[in-house]
Amino acid sequence: MRLNYKFKTAALVACFSLTVFSCKKEGDKSTNQEIALNSVNDNDSGAFQNHRDSVPSKQQYDAPLFVLSHDYPTNVTSPVNPSWQQALKGQPISEKNVFQYMEALKKTVASNVKPFFENNKQWNAAKYGWFHEPWMGQDREAILGAYLGNSNPANMFKTLKVNEAGYAVVLYDSVAAYTVGQIWGKTGEKPNLIDNAAQFKEGSIIVKLAFSNINAKTGESVNQEDKNYWSVMKGAQKLQIYDTIATGENPRKGYQMRDVSFFQMDVIVKDSKTAPKTGWVFSTFVYDKDAPGTWWDKMVPLGAMWGDDPDVNSPLTPPYPKLYETVINKLAPYYSKETLGWGGRLSGPNDGAVAQVAVDINTKQVYKNLALSSCMSCHSPAQDDFKSFLLPGPFPTGDTLQVYTPGSSDWKRWFRDLYGDVPFDPGQVAMDYDMVMAFKSMSNYKASVKKDSKNAAENNFSKTHKFRTRHLRGHN
């Protein structure tokens, strides 16, 4: 679930930096005067920069642009007997009650999330009690404040025939934002990780909204197959971003107003009563075009997890043995289950848990469509230095992903049930499963203060960013 600082740190944002400086001539018709009139980017650099400096003209977009919410609370009270715990009726979380737990979480965030979609031009995160992570302004597009998250290459899903780019917006509620403030303070210039400052308070809620840049076809030919569209997005909530990645639907180069479809929502909650081994419950909702009701009703549970089932050594292909810390909704739409993680562990269609091709670093075996991650395994290396990769293998050095032998002791380091204050690597400071803060905000901050010499973590970030956006080259 966040990215970089300035284009001067080109190693961290190679894909973006080439885009901006080459595409303004081709596609961005805004004059300097129009940019100045429409920009609210008062913080033009540093921790609390709102968005990139490429903005739409008034003719393209006549509403306020994205404003970062960073007035983090300095005091907080954790909720007592919250509705999601009540939904369990005193029982341990399990396949019998997990969807009631998820529904309670969804109801909790509904009133302050739905306006983002239903009245986005008037949306203001601070007004609805949400906060953002710092040090990512140069990666945020100017309308939603979205940035590139995971993306899917063509044929990752049976119904997806072109490369797809995923965009994300992360929202911290006030309880979670207290911890963000403890780390970054009022300036964002001196991060603090001592005395468990990075550990979230009980009841903290973090929401990630994910969007696909491949939409369903509309108009007279809506029922006809077209490889440039994605049929499972039919009827999804659409918003607009201002970005450069061309598609078959919108092939124009450079910065353009582009449609994106809302297709995944993650709601994670710090709940050590329910998840005593890890402290967190991760839940994922996905868009189901065939579900009854409103667009909000069509965001149905994919599943939830509260641990990584370290004692279950899953095979690479079904049938999988039973998991005890993940539950998947059997009725979730088919596309959303095509990218589940190792052994069927929770991972959404925007999460990058399946590698189309991977090579075993020990045996040299080539794996096709290898499920190699999960929500929690990807977040577990969150620590002050980006020392271990997001996936069970070394940091990538090219387009081919190398992995440890599935099920081996090296592989299973990513599938431990670590509590949030236990670092993934010895000698590091654990950041409580907040991979956004560790992978992106912290990496960007370090890049900003070490412009002339890359450290190991910065090099690791660069390798990871390039690998995750590899199939978008030539498209943006």
Side-chain angles (χ1 to χ4, degrees), residues 94-95 304-315 320-328 340-346 374:
S94 69
E95 60 187 4
M305 70 184 308
W306 49 96
D308 254 318
D309 280 293
D311 297 326
V312 179
N313 198 1
S314 301
Y320 298 132
K322 179 180 174 59
L323 298 172
Y324 299 93
E325 296 174 328
T326 285
V327 177
I328 300 299
L340 291 176
W342 183 45
R345 290 163 176 82
L346 179 66
S374 75

Side-chain angles (χ1 to χ4, degrees), residues 103-145:
E103 182 60 27
L105 279 175
K106 187 181 178 186
K107 286 182 178 179
T108 297
V109 304
S111 62
N112 289 336
V113 168
K114 290 169 72 174
F116 179 91
F117 297 91
E118 294 173 344
N119 190 19
N120 186 261
K121 286 190 175 183
Q122 302 303 318
W123 163 262
N124 180 285
K127 174 182 176 182
Y128 290 96
W130 297 111
F131 301 84
H132 302 110
E133 64 275 41
W135 287 107
M136 293 179 58
Q138 200 59 54
D139 294 299
R140 295 183 187 274
E141 56 80 39
I143 297 176
L144 303 183

Side-chain angles (χ1 to χ4, degrees), residues 258-288:
R258 301 180 189 273
D259 290 339
V260 291
S261 292
F262 177 45
F263 77 129
Q264 180 175 326
M265 178 174 72
D266 298 321
V267 184
I268 70 173
V269 59
K270 183 68 176 285
D271 183 356
S272 59
K273 179 181 179 180
T274 301
K277 293 181 181 179
T278 63
W280 290 92
V281 177
F282 281 61
S283 66
T284 297
F285 299 83
V286 291
Y287 178 69
D288 182 357

Side-chain angles (χ1 to χ4, degrees), residues 358-367 370 392-397 400-406 408 410-411:
V359 177
D360 193 310
I361 196 171
N362 298 307
T363 68
K364 309 308 178 185
Q365 180 178 347
V366 177
Y367 303 106
L370 177 65
F395 284 95
T397 56
T400 300
L401 178 67
Q402 292 186 314
V403 297
Y404 297 121
T405 302
S408 67
D410 285 334
W411 172 282

